[in-house]
Amino acid sequence: MDSQRINGGKSNLLANGVVDPVRAPIPVPEGRLVAHSPGHQGTWHWYEGHARGTGELARRFAEPWGGGDLAYRLGRDHDTGKGACAWQEGLIEEATTGRKTKRPPHSDAGALLFARTAERCPALLPCAGVIAGHHTGLSAWSEVRLRLKALMADSSEVDEAIHRVAAVMPAILDGSCPPAPDWLDPRDKIAVEMLVRMTYSAVVDADRLDTAAHFRPGTHRRPHPGMPELWERYEARRQESLAERQRSKGASWLDKLREDVYQEALEAAAGQPGVYRLHLPTGAGKTFTGGGFALRHASVHGLRRVIVAVPFISITEQNAAEYRSLLDSPEQGPPVVLEHHSAVNVEAPQQHAPQSTGAPTNTHHDGKRGWSNRWAKLATENWDAPFIVTTTVRLIETIFGNTPSATRRLHRLANSVIILDEVQALPDRLLTPILSGLRELVEHYGVTLVLSSATQPELAALNPWRSGLPQRDVVSDPAPLFEQLRRVRYAWRTGPDVTLASIAAEAAEHDQALVVVNATKDANQVHRIWLGSNHDENPGVLHLSTRMTGGHRRETIQAAKQRLEENLYTLLVSTSLIEAGVNLDFPRGYHARSTPESEQQAAGRVNREGKRPAKDSVMTIFDPRDGLNPEVVYNTCAIAAASRRFGDGLADPDDLDVLRSYYQHRYNLQAGRHSKDPNGATGEVIEALRAKLHYPEVARRMRLIDNEHSVAVVAIRSQLGEEARQAAQKAVDQLRRGLPTPATYRTLQDHMASIPQRELELAINAGHVIEVAGDLQQWVGPYHPQRGIEPPVAQQ
């Protein structure tokens, strides 16, 4: 290399891409290799330090599943391609002149190095994909294998890099193959698939953390408290809260019932790790009981963290606040509870980028994709906290994604308790791969899984869990609890005269009523009917849907709660987002025909506190001839199975025995005969793709929120104060510049809404949305103060 180019620079390219003209980098001695630009002290990130640092950190991450040596080898050798002269000279020129240079891809050399050693242990050969995709994501193994085959035949383009790195780190040529975990069966392709994922996660996170430590030294946090301490803190504060509640409101029979349930859960927490079912009716204290079980179980068995995944952001926010009050203690250390959810994928390619140039997208240059850059990725949350509250979307993305940002947190699941709250909300179309993946985590990665719901699905009826995976009950006999906590009676309204207008009119005859419908369009229509022809705002007539921002929804829920407590006139129409985790107590409810679990969940918002006789608290299931057909929203097999069992003259949605029969029938209508049967409708095709190690296609098909139907938008409401609007706009601008931080995402959560994909083009043409980053749009069109972003038909 040219020493003049190495040492003659007058400036330094900083981590944020800004050139510092004052401090020049220290010279690179002959025979040394660099991995990253100098940090703020002007010191290079030397190659050997980064390689060993990444390897050791990856080893520590992978040791819980017996993959420490494998992860070390992959982490140590992941950047071998940076040894090439062209790569070294390009980085040094950038750092010394501030001018961007095009450096060659650097993943092939390390991938080939590992593939050569893995020839004698073929089960580990696909782990070469960890290095091949450590910046760009896990590729299909068939593609990686073809590339490796070509390199095996002619390695001239990577030999230089390997030899130069070997000169400073001779160990890379020792030729030994690291051992596989002793539980790995090479014939089990699903086990191999998950091992690659977990190892990839460990290496990617180690790489990002070691790089971040170079650019931001001295930012080490105080260590988190251990699980025994957190369990004691949780229990002490729970008892304090209960005592305070009883002092202010007096003890009740419900408090005693909840305490009995809680104590039984603590006894169950001493059981062995595995799969547990937490089957409790609404009002039995499921949130606190689940948290207590998880922390106690983690304390007893030495597990590392608790992860609570819920289907709706509204529940995430509520649960996180409750857990924070019991666990966070600023005076005793860093925050314990990490709330991580976002409705946007900021790494997605821009959907409406110009297509006329025909230039190919470069996905190799240091992993850059469109707007994003490596500094943004270093700010991605990696779940390094003892108690995580997230969405089911984020959890499934973590397990089945293939991008570095999604999968870098996967290894944090090992030796953890995962609570799947409202487990009945898992989509049938993905159940086979979800259950298969969870089984891998339980059997090989030390996970205890808690299935929490008032409407427990019969998951053991599906192939991945049919044999060899026992399920224990946290509460041994929940049936009496459902009888004790029965707080509603069901009524049924069907026939040609039943319409949204007739139900809206009937509900308006009551001082307080809840109406749940199947579509945002239907919710909009009912709300308009209630307001009348003048469409004036009425504080007692409320609307709730995903077309409203998270902050707007929370304000609406709080307004409804306050009006109900003050016994004021309150009508609320909502989509299904109200069905779980929303603490409202209406005397009367209506629900458009759907599935029994959805209807039962919504019934939990009627007579929630049990202050009224059950016979006077009615949940009416209605079938409006002008409402959205439930088959459009819900699984058609679920509707078919439900129609044979629930309805007028049949069972009520809370009949446990009939619910079990319903779930078994529902799954039997869909499931293939075995996990690879392409005729199955519960994700068998995806499971076959997993066996082929086709990571990108699996990630695409495993999206819980299908962006073909829903688009995330950020909407900054005019009703907000000036300070809040400025903070939201600043966060949007940070995303546009590609420089977000975790705080950026947290700020935007209050301003996220969604619209159907089919409306996006109309909104673009009307000038109502502008792109921000990835698949995130900013809504700049009309925003109704009560209904949010309205359907186009309603605006005409």
Side-chain angles (χ1 to χ4, degrees):
M1 288 183 289
D2 187 343
S3 60
Q4 181 90 27
R5 289 177 67 190
I6 295 174
N7 301 329
K10 301 297 183 184
S11 62
N12 178 26
L13 188 66
L14 297 180
N16 60 4
V18 177
V19 176
D20 179 358
V22 177
R23 184 182 296 109
I26 66 173
V28 179
E30 190 68 31
R32 295 299 301 272
L33 298 175
V34 294
H36 297 106
S37 304
H40 71 289
Q41 297 297 325
T43 303
W44 290 97
H45 199 186
W46 302 114
Y47 181 88
E48 308 98 292
H50 178 54
R52 293 193 177 99
T54 299
E56 290 296 345
L57 196 52
R59 184 202 301 274
R60 178 160 65 85
F61 290 156
E63 279 177 346
W65 63 84
D69 290 342
L70 173 63
Y72 172 80
R73 177 69 61 84
L74 294 164
R76 185 195 67 185
D77 297 345
H78 76 287
D79 273 350
T80 303
K82 289 184 176 181
C85 276
W87 199 97
Q88 292 284 307
E89 291 178 356
L91 179 64
I92 291 168
E93 182 176 340
E94 280 191 10
T96 54
T97 67
R99 294 192 299 270
K100 284 289 182 182
T101 64
K102 185 175 182 180
R103 285 167 274 148
H106 64 271
S107 60
D108 281 350
L112 176 62
L113 200 61
F114 181 81
R116 285 172 173 167
T117 66
E119 284 185 315
R120 52 183 66 93
C121 39
L124 295 183
L125 187 57
C127 289
V130 170
I131 294 178
H134 73 275
H135 277 303
T136 57
L138 280 171
S139 297
W141 171 235
S142 58
E143 297 176 7
V144 176
R145 185 171 52 199
L146 284 175
R147 178 60 177 157
L148 290 174
K149 184 177 180 181
L151 289 171
M152 290 281 193
D154 179 8
S155 60
S156 57
E157 63 182 280
V158 298
D159 285 341
E160 179 210 15
I162 293 174
H163 293 152
R164 288 173 57 80
V165 171
V168 296
M169 296 183 67
I172 70 168
L173 299 180
D174 67 8
S176 64
C177 183
D182 56 13
W183 48 261
L184 183 66
D185 180 352
R187 299 166 298 181
D188 187 344
K189 299 304 182 185
I190 295 299
V192 172
E193 192 256 13
M194 185 59 75
L195 177 63
V196 173
R197 288 186 183 280
M198 292 292 284
T199 310
Y200 180 79
S201 172
V203 170
V204 165
D205 197 27
D207 179 24
R208 301 314 193 254
L209 291 174
D210 188 78
T211 304
H214 165 68
F215 286 111
R216 297 194 297 272
T219 57
H220 302 294
R221 297 180 300 178
R222 292 167 61 186
H224 289 112
M227 281 297 162
E229 180 182 343
L230 289 180
W231 152 244
E232 292 176 2
R233 185 187 298 179
Y234 184 92
E235 178 61 7
R237 291 186 180 176
R238 187 193 69 87
Q239 291 182 6
E240 290 172 5
S241 176
L242 179 60
E244 177 60 31
R245 171 188 168 94
Q246 292 180 346
R247 276 194 299 270
S248 61
K249 297 185 177 181
S252 71
W253 67 272
L254 190 55
D255 289 333
K256 183 178 185 310
L257 182 147
R258 289 170 175 165
E259 186 65 19
D260 289 344
V261 167
Y262 184 82
Q263 293 303 324
E264 184 175 353
L266 296 189
E267 293 178 11
Q272 290 301 306
V275 179
Y276 287 82
R277 291 168 28 124
L278 180 58
H279 191 186
L280 292 176
T282 301
K286 183 160 54 72
T287 298
F288 290 111
T289 298
F293 171 89
L295 287 165
R296 176 65 175 153
H297 185 82
S299 176
V300 168
H301 295 286
L303 304 185
R304 300 186 302 176
R305 59 180 47 83
V306 173
I307 299 159
V308 180
V310 299
F312 306 117
I313 288 178
S314 58
I315 316 177
T316 311
E317 295 165 342
Q318 177 179 292
N319 287 4
E322 292 177 346
Y323 288 132
R324 221 176 262 124
S325 69
L326 296 175
L327 289 171
D328 277 353
S329 185
E331 69 280 1
Q332 294 178 269
V336 168
V337 178
L338 171 66
E339 183 182 355
H340 180 213
H341 53 76
S342 174
V344 59
N345 173 16
V346 294
E347 279 205 337
Q350 292 190 348
Q351 294 178 349
H352 301 282
Q355 301 294 319
S356 58
T357 64
T361 301
N362 179 9
T363 60
H364 294 288
H365 183 62
D366 231 19
K368 294 180 177 63
R369 292 187 176 190
W371 70 275
S372 66
N373 57 49
R374 58 186 175 182
W375 316 121
K377 291 178 182 179
L378 291 177
T380 301
E381 307 262 14
N382 71 345
W383 289 6
D384 186 13
F387 203 104
I388 313 292
V389 182
T390 189
T391 57
T392 312
V393 169
R394 281 288 167 257
L395 178 65
I396 300 306
E397 174 194 69
T398 298
I399 299 173
F400 295 104
N402 75 313
T403 64
S405 62
T407 55
R408 69 176 291 194
R409 52 187 182 259
L410 174 59
H411 70 90
R412 306 281 180 181
L413 271 57
N415 282 8
S416 296
V417 182
I418 300 176
I419 300 177
L420 268 180
D421 199 10
E422 307 300 348
V423 66
Q424 81 286 342
L426 292 175
D428 289 18
R429 64 185 174 86
L430 303 179
L431 278 177
T432 289
I434 288 175
L435 297 183
S436 173
L438 291 172
R439 180 167 187 158
E440 283 293 316
L441 294 176
V442 170
E443 293 186 333
H444 302 309
Y445 298 93
V447 166
T448 284
L449 178 65
V450 181
L451 308 172
S452 179
S453 177
T455 52
Q456 280 284 344
E458 293 296 308
L459 298 178
L462 287 159
N463 183 67
W465 283 14
R466 275 182 183 162
S467 62
L469 189 68
Q471 297 181 46
R472 305 175 181 90
D473 288 318
V474 174
V475 176
S476 59
D477 185 12
L481 295 174
F482 279 83
E483 287 300 323
Q484 287 176 272
L485 291 176
R486 187 182 298 276
R487 284 161 291 184
V488 303
R489 68 178 176 87
Y490 291 89
W492 306 86
R493 192 85 77 251
T494 59
D497 297 333
V498 179
T499 62
L500 291 171
S502 71
I503 292 298
E506 181 178 332
E509 294 175 1
H510 303 279
D511 291 336
Q512 296 174 335
L514 167 69
V515 176
V516 182
V517 292
N518 291 328
T520 57
K521 177 178 67 68
D522 294 351
N524 187 291
Q525 182 177 341
V526 170
H527 189 258
R528 286 169 172 268
I529 291 170
W530 281 342
L531 288 179
S533 57
N534 56 11
H535 288 184
D536 291 336
E537 291 186 29
N538 182 333
V541 176
L542 303 173
H543 170 281
L544 206 57
S545 84
T546 54
R547 289 177 176 269
M548 301 156 61
T549 66
H552 191 184
R553 294 196 302 267
R554 188 168 57 252
E555 292 168 11
T556 300
I557 291 170
Q558 184 57 39
K561 185 174 184 179
Q562 183 173 343
R563 294 186 67 85
L564 290 170
E565 289 175 348
E566 296 176 3
N567 203 29
L568 299 175
Y569 181 78
T570 308
L571 298 178
L572 172 62
V573 60
S574 175
T575 57
S576 62
L577 67 84
I578 201 172
E579 290 173 3
V582 179
N583 293 329
L584 295 176
D585 187 3
F586 282 89
R588 186 97 186 191
Y590 297 82
H591 196 301
R593 184 173 71 92
S594 58
T595 60
E597 65 269 24
S598 180
E599 293 158 1
Q600 186 185 155
Q601 292 286 344
R605 310 320 117 194
V606 176
N607 196 22
R608 184 176 180 85
E609 299 300 324
K611 297 177 180 178
R612 311 172 189 88
K615 63 182 179 63
D616 296 332
S617 304
V618 183
M619 169 58 81
T620 300
I621 310 300
F622 64 98
D623 190 4
R625 60 178 174 81
D626 57 343
L628 183 70
N629 190 318
E631 281 85 351
V632 175
V633 181
Y634 300 94
N635 184 287
T636 55
C637 292
I639 297 296
S643 64
R644 294 178 55 178
R645 291 168 173 80
F646 304 98
D648 194 11
L650 301 173
D652 286 339
D654 58 359
D655 188 313
L656 298 186
D657 291 333
V658 178
L659 271 171
R660 278 190 288 270
S661 170
Y662 151 76
Y663 275 118
Q664 290 169 350
H665 184 202
R666 167 176 165 177
Y667 296 150
N668 287 337
L669 287 174
Q670 302 173 83
R673 289 166 295 174
H674 53 82
S675 62
K676 297 181 181 179
D677 186 346
N679 295 319
T682 62
E684 288 83 352
V685 171
I686 302 174
E687 189 73 349
L689 289 167
R690 290 185 65 207
K692 294 177 181 177
L693 310 187
H694 201 316
Y695 296 99
E697 186 62 15
V698 169
R700 187 185 73 81
R701 292 178 182 239
M702 285 299 296
R703 293 173 183 159
L704 264 70
I705 297 178
D706 190 345
N707 286 336
E708 293 180 2
H709 298 94
S710 178
V711 178
V713 296
V714 56
I716 303 175
R717 294 182 287 149
S718 60
Q719 293 82 8
L720 295 171
E722 181 64 23
E723 184 176 350
R725 288 202 303 274
Q726 289 182 357
Q729 190 59 55
K730 179 181 178 182
V732 170
D733 293 341
Q734 285 177 318
L735 278 176
R736 280 205 177 96
R737 295 197 306 272
L739 297 171
T741 69
T744 305
Y745 303 123
R746 286 193 289 269
T747 298
L748 289 179
Q749 284 165 4
D750 267 359
H751 308 283
M752 298 301 300
S754 63
I755 60 174
Q757 172 72 40
R758 63 180 180 275
E759 294 181 16
L760 181 60
E761 291 298 334
L762 293 174
I764 291 173
N765 294 336
H768 290 164
V769 299
I770 53 178
E771 287 184 344
V772 177
D775 62 2
L776 178 63
Q777 316 286 331
Q778 181 175 4
W779 181 265
V780 293
Y783 187 98
H784 191 276
Q786 288 181 290
R787 296 188 292 267
I789 302 170
E790 299 203 83
V793 173
Q795 294 172 349
Q796 294 176 354

